[in-house]
């Protein structure tokens, strides 16, 4: 067993103490690291978004000049609009929180479901595009191994993310910086090399546009440009990642978030619009088995004559390897953002509470695993087809964008008499809504039959699952409330001279949680089953540190107060009935592990003790008889029995 623990710590890292202030400081991200971890998704979209848009223009490539300008403007409009989200929701949650708080819970469910599917597709499309870029360097016969390579990278990212957020970013940092530097050089050089053509290009673009309008009409030009613009909508994906993960940023979070968004907007606008300009200036055409980026960068590198070296031969593999690497880094954004959305939805009971649990490394492990399994499923289902994945991807991205912008419009209108410059902020949010909503409508109409229906179906299924989970929790809460209400009116003040504990006498050790009724059920049943046998009563409880209690300012203090107050109620109750009692508590992300430590210490102090816990059985509800499985109690019972300690689980019918 010690060997397994050592191996686990080597792979995933040693456990962290969430109660130490320096732990939070260690894992929080400064703007630069956040740009790498959360901005890689946005920046990597320049590897496929501009290509999809350019190819959608067909023979009318002169329209690419308008497309490059529109792309840069759109990036900044969406980014500035999301800065407002960061200001209003510095605890994170982004599009999900905006839709929930400003529009309504069900709008939040739709936005959250879209984000979950979006982040799964972020992983899938980034890995698939990375594999495409990587295998552009290899012979055609190697294509058969492309899908398997993508799956291996998904598993590698799982291990990195289970180690921790900052650890995964530091590991991927060299790839990110390498991509940024070499693409900056290539884009600047590629545009400057043909800078003499720019005046002619603008003149020819205007002339060809007017000639085309005379032949086909302005509506054809506008609709054709809109279709290409919407097809390349994947370029803007990832811009929402910062607002979704503000809670992971260093203080002051809002300021750090805005700087992160600024870095992301500038880098993405320059790279995406610059690459479209390269396609146009270097007269690029599609080559089977290669990306447009591979084609244009090869031409640029061939123009380098320094030292008589064939730079394309030596540097193109490096460029494409960095593109592939950045796409794999971008897949990591799905492992950061997806679990964060799941954790927020778990707090609102749309998904199981397990998705808000933290591992010993303070990582939302269940969310990471779900994103990995879902992404692998999507890759296998689509065989890593990037064109299909882009269609699936874009619809959900812009659904979330549109709901977020609509929520912000509602907020600024409601607060028009309070907020300064509200009209300008409303105008910015309204512009963002017009842009994102327009792209969403075009994508649904034009791409529905090409695979868009699959996105709508999958997202609808996630929404349906969320409604069922919420129904389950609402019924459970209602039934637990009936039990808790039996004791809600009983105020138990401390007793001046409580009975004294005697470690030599029989002791009942009770595991209690948030439900006061459940704990009182155990206490009263012990007295009925063993009248006057137990002379000491010890109450054990663990304050569970999850994403909610670890995410906001003062959240840990509130957790301490809540757990301490609940435990004191049981102690005071015993004292009022002349029973010796005390409470022991701990805090941590692994409840079973912390309870085991408490139990071991208690057994050392009170060797003549028996442990008790309640398991709830609901017998009257719309789904028939069912058992609410208490996994923590079951795990603890097995652990204590292995160590020679007795534990009894008392069934509690509601």
């Amino acid at each position: 067993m010690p060997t397994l623990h050592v191996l686990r710590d080597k792979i995933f890292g040693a456990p962290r103490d969430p109660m130490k202030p320096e732990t939070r400081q260690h894992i929080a991200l400064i703007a630069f690291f956040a740009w790498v971890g959360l901005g890689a998704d946005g920046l990597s979209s320049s590897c496929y978004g501009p290509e999809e848009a350019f190819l959608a223009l067909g023979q009318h490539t002169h329209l690419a000049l308008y497309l490059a300008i529109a792309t840069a403007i759109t990036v900044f409009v969406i980014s500035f609009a999301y800065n407002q989200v960061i200001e209003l929701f510095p605890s994170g949650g982004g599009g999900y929180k905006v839709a929930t708080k400003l529009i309504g819970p069900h709008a939040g469910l739709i936005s959250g479901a879209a984000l979950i599917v979006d982040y799964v597709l972020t992983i899938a499309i980034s890995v698939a595009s990375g594999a495409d870029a990587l295998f552009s360097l290899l012979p055609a016969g190697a294509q058969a191994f492309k899908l398997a390579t993508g799956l291996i990278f998904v598993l590698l990212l799982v291990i990195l993310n289970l180690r921790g957020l900052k650890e995964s970013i530091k590991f991927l940092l060299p790839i990110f910086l390498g991509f940024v530097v070499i693409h900056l050089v290539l884009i600047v050089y590629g545009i400057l090399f043909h800078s003499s053509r720019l005046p002619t290009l603008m003149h020819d673009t205007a002339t060809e546009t007017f000639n085309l309008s005379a032949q086909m009409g302005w509506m054809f030009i506008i609709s054709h440009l809109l279709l290409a613009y919407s097809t390349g909508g994947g370029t803007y994906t990832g811009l929402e990642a910062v607002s979704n993960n503000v809670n992971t940023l260093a203080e002051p979070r809002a300021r750090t978030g805005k700087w992160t968004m600024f870095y992301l907007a500038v880098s993405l606008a320059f790279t995406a619009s610059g690459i479209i300009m390269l396609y146009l200036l270097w007269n690029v055409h599609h080559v089977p088995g290669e990306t447009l980026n591979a084609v244009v960068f090869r031409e640029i590198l061939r123009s380098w004559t320094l030292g008589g070296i064939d730079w394309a031969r030596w540097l193109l593999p490096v460029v494409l390897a960095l593109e592939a690497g950045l796409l794999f880094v971008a897949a990591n954004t799905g492992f950061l953002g997806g679990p964060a959305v799941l954790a927020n939805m778990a707090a609102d009971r749309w998904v199981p509470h397990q998705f808000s649990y933290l591992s010993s490394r303070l990582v939302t492990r269940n969310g990471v695993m779900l994103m990995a399994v879902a992404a692998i499923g999507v890759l296998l289902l689509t065989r890593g087809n990037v064109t299909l994945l882009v269609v699936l991807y874009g619809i959900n991205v812009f659904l979330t964008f549109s709901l977020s912008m609509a929520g912000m419009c509602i907020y600024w209108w409601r607060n028009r008499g309070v907020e300064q410059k509200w009209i300008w902020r409303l105008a910015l949010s309204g512009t963002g809504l017009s842009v994102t909503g327009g792209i969403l409508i075009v994508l649904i109409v034009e791409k529905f039959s090409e695979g868009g229906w699959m996105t709508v179906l999958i997202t609808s299924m996630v929404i349906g699952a969320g409604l069922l989970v919420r129904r389950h929790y609402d019924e459970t809460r209602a039934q637990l409330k009936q039990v808790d209400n039996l004791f809600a009116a009983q105020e138990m003040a401390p007793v001046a001279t409580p009975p004294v504990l005697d470690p030599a006498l029989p002791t009942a050790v009770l595991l209690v949680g948030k439900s006061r009724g459940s704990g009182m059920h155990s206490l009263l049943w012990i007295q009925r089953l063993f009248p006057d046998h137990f002379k000491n009563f010890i109450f054990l409880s663990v304050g569970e540190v999850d994403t909610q209690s670890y995410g906001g300012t003062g959240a840990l203090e509130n957790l301490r107060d809540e757990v301490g107050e609940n435990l004191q109620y049981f102690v005071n109750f015993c004292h009022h009935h002349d029973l010796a009692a005390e409470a022991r508590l701990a805090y941590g992300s692994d409840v079973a592990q912390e309870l085991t430590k408490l139990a071991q210490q208690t057994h050392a102090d009170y060797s003549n003790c028996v442990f008790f816990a309640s398991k709830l059985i609901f017998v009257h509800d719309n789904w028939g008889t069912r058992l609410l499985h208490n996994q923590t109690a079951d795990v603890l019972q097995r652990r204590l029995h292995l160590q020679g300690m007795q534990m009894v689980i008392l069934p509690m019918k509601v």
Side-chain angles (χ1 to χ4, degrees):
M1 188 64 71
T3 304
L4 290 177
H5 285 304
V6 171
L7 181 61
R8 182 195 64 188
D9 290 349
K10 288 289 184 183
I11 297 175
F12 301 114
R16 290 184 170 132
D17 184 356
M19 307 309 291
K20 290 183 178 179
E22 58 266 26
T23 300
R24 165 72 191 171
Q25 296 171 7
H26 175 75
I27 64 177
L29 301 175
I30 61 173
F32 177 75
F33 282 131
W35 175 44
V36 177
L38 303 174
D41 179 24
L43 192 56
S44 71
S45 62
S46 62
C47 299
Y48 54 84
E51 176 176 358
E52 295 293 331
F54 189 79
L55 291 176
L57 291 174
Q59 298 178 347
H60 309 294
T61 54
H62 66 280
L63 297 176
L65 180 61
Y66 307 120
L67 201 58
I69 297 170
T71 297
I73 292 173
T74 303
V75 169
F76 282 108
V77 167
I78 296 175
S79 298
F80 289 149
Y82 263 96
N83 274 341
Q84 301 178 89
V85 176
I86 293 172
E87 285 182 7
L88 287 179
F89 298 95
S91 60
Y96 170 72
K97 283 283 184 70
V98 170
T100 299
K101 302 294 184 183
L102 303 181
I103 303 178
H106 288 91
L109 172 61
I110 295 171
S111 180
L115 277 170
I116 291 171
V117 177
D118 174 35
Y119 279 123
V120 170
L121 291 171
T122 293
I123 300 170
I125 196 172
S126 298
V127 168
S129 298
D132 279 354
L134 185 61
F135 278 78
S136 293
L137 303 170
L138 303 177
Q143 297 292 318
F145 301 99
K146 186 165 63 175
L147 180 59
T149 302
L151 299 180
I152 291 171
F153 272 101
V154 172
L155 297 178
L156 175 62
L157 288 172
V158 169
I159 295 174
L160 286 175
N161 280 277
L162 291 178
R163 287 185 61 87
L165 185 149
K166 184 175 283 188
E167 280 70 14
S168 66
I169 291 173
K170 286 181 177 179
F171 180 83
L172 300 168
L173 177 62
I175 299 172
F176 182 89
L177 293 181
F179 175 92
V180 171
V181 171
I182 201 163
H183 280 71
L184 173 65
V185 171
L186 287 171
I187 291 171
V188 170
Y189 174 84
I191 292 175
L192 290 178
F193 188 85
H194 286 297
S195 58
S196 60
R197 286 188 53 198
L198 288 173
T200 305
L201 176 66
M202 289 186 283
H203 177 269
D204 292 346
T205 297
T207 302
E208 290 181 35
T209 302
F210 280 108
N211 290 339
L212 185 62
S213 68
Q215 298 173 13
M216 308 295 295
W218 283 105
M219 284 304 298
F220 171 82
I221 294 176
I222 294 172
S223 61
H224 196 67
L225 190 57
L226 278 176
L227 177 60
Y229 174 71
S230 301
T231 302
T235 303
Y236 317 113
T237 58
L239 289 173
E240 80 291 343
V242 180
S243 66
N244 287 334
N245 294 272
V246 183
N247 57 302
T248 65
L249 305 182
E251 299 287 355
R253 294 178 183 177
R255 185 170 179 271
T256 304
K258 288 182 179 179
W259 274 110
T260 304
M261 187 65 84
F262 174 75
Y263 297 155
L264 174 55
V266 171
S267 57
L268 177 58
F270 172 81
T271 306
S273 59
I275 286 175
I276 293 175
M277 288 299 298
L278 292 181
Y279 295 159
L280 187 59
L281 288 169
W282 290 78
N283 194 27
V284 171
H285 297 284
H286 176 64
V287 176
E290 296 187 20
T291 63
L292 286 187
N293 284 10
V295 176
V296 73
F297 291 148
R298 178 183 290 109
E299 294 302 315
I300 292 172
L301 291 171
R302 280 176 177 171
S303 70
W304 291 12
T305 57
L306 184 64
I309 299 172
D310 184 0
W311 291 102
R313 178 183 177 186
W314 297 105
L315 283 185
L316 184 62
V318 176
V319 175
L320 295 182
L322 285 171
E323 282 204 353
L326 184 73
L327 285 159
F328 293 131
V329 176
N332 197 56
T333 304
F335 286 110
L336 302 180
V341 174
L342 284 166
N344 281 302
M345 294 181 72
D348 293 334
R349 308 186 305 283
W350 294 118
V351 300
H353 289 159
Q354 285 87 340
F355 289 106
S356 68
Y357 295 171
L358 294 173
S359 69
S360 61
R361 293 287 291 176
L362 303 182
V363 173
T364 48
R365 177 177 54 204
N366 295 327
V368 170
M369 297 305 297
L370 176 65
M371 302 306 290
V373 171
I376 289 173
V378 170
L379 285 170
L380 291 174
L381 183 65
T382 61
R383 307 301 297 174
N385 186 317
V386 174
T387 302
L388 175 58
L389 286 169
V390 167
V391 174
L392 299 177
Y393 194 31
I395 291 176
N396 270 2
V397 170
F398 287 97
L399 174 58
T400 301
F401 280 169
S402 300
L403 285 172
S404 298
M405 295 302 101
M408 294 306 301
C409 288
I410 292 171
Y411 175 84
W412 296 122
W413 179 253
R414 286 175 179 169
N415 293 274
R416 59 189 181 277
V418 180
E419 298 284 349
Q420 295 181 347
K421 300 180 180 179
W422 68 271
I423 193 166
W424 297 107
R425 297 186 175 190
L426 176 62
L428 177 60
S429 300
T431 303
L433 176 60
S434 301
V435 171
T436 58
I439 294 175
L440 175 63
I441 292 171
V442 172
L443 283 175
I444 292 175
V445 172
E446 295 291 336
K447 301 296 183 179
F448 189 83
S449 60
E450 297 177 23
W453 63 269
M454 192 181 300
T455 299
V456 175
L457 176 62
I458 294 171
T459 306
S460 299
M461 291 171 65
V462 175
I463 293 170
L467 291 170
L468 290 176
V469 171
R470 180 67 173 265
R471 176 184 172 185
H472 164 73
Y473 279 123
D474 286 346
E475 291 174 352
T476 302
R477 283 162 61 94
Q479 292 172 320
L480 280 175
K481 190 175 182 180
Q482 293 177 12
V483 181
D484 290 342
N485 285 341
L486 297 174
F487 306 96
Q490 299 182 19
E491 293 297 330
M492 294 293 168
V495 175
T497 55
V500 179
L501 292 154
D502 186 347
L505 297 177
T507 302
V509 184
L510 288 79
L511 278 60
V512 295
K514 294 180 180 179
S515 172
R516 185 172 295 180
S518 175
M520 289 301 298
H521 165 82
S522 297
L523 177 60
L524 296 176
W525 262 106
I526 290 169
Q527 291 179 307
R528 289 182 192 138
L529 293 172
F530 310 97
D532 297 324
H533 176 70
F534 293 106
K535 305 304 180 183
N536 304 318
F537 290 86
I538 313 296
F539 298 93
L540 305 184
S541 187
V542 171
E544 183 176 17
V545 180
D546 59 10
T547 54
Q548 300 305 307
S549 58
Y550 201 63
T553 304
L556 284 177
E557 288 73 15
N558 293 336
L559 176 65
R560 286 192 183 100
D561 294 341
E562 180 184 356
V563 175
E565 181 182 342
N566 195 44
L567 273 178
Q568 194 59 46
Y569 174 89
F570 295 111
V571 173
N572 292 344
F573 181 90
C574 288
H575 289 170
H576 275 275
H577 291 80
D578 241 4
L579 300 172
E582 72 168 4
R584 297 186 175 190
L585 69 157
Y587 301 92
S589 57
D590 190 332
V591 175
Q593 181 177 320
E594 296 301 328
L595 278 174
T596 301
K597 293 178 184 178
L598 283 176
Q600 289 170 337
Q601 183 59 52
T602 303
H603 187 261
D605 296 337
Y606 299 89
S607 58
N608 188 15
C609 70
V610 179
F611 294 85
F612 294 90
S614 289
K615 176 170 286 189
L616 306 180
I617 301 174
F618 297 132
V619 293
H620 297 297
D621 58 39
N622 295 331
W623 293 0
T625 303
R626 70 162 178 252
L627 182 70
L628 180 64
H629 184 58
N630 189 333
Q631 186 180 24
T632 301
D634 289 341
V635 171
L636 187 62
Q637 185 183 46
R638 290 194 295 270
R639 290 182 180 181
L640 296 185
H641 282 180
L642 287 174
Q643 299 177 35
M645 291 180 270
Q646 296 179 334
M647 180 171 178
V648 178
I649 295 182
L650 301 170
M652 177 182 175
K653 294 183 178 180
V654 180

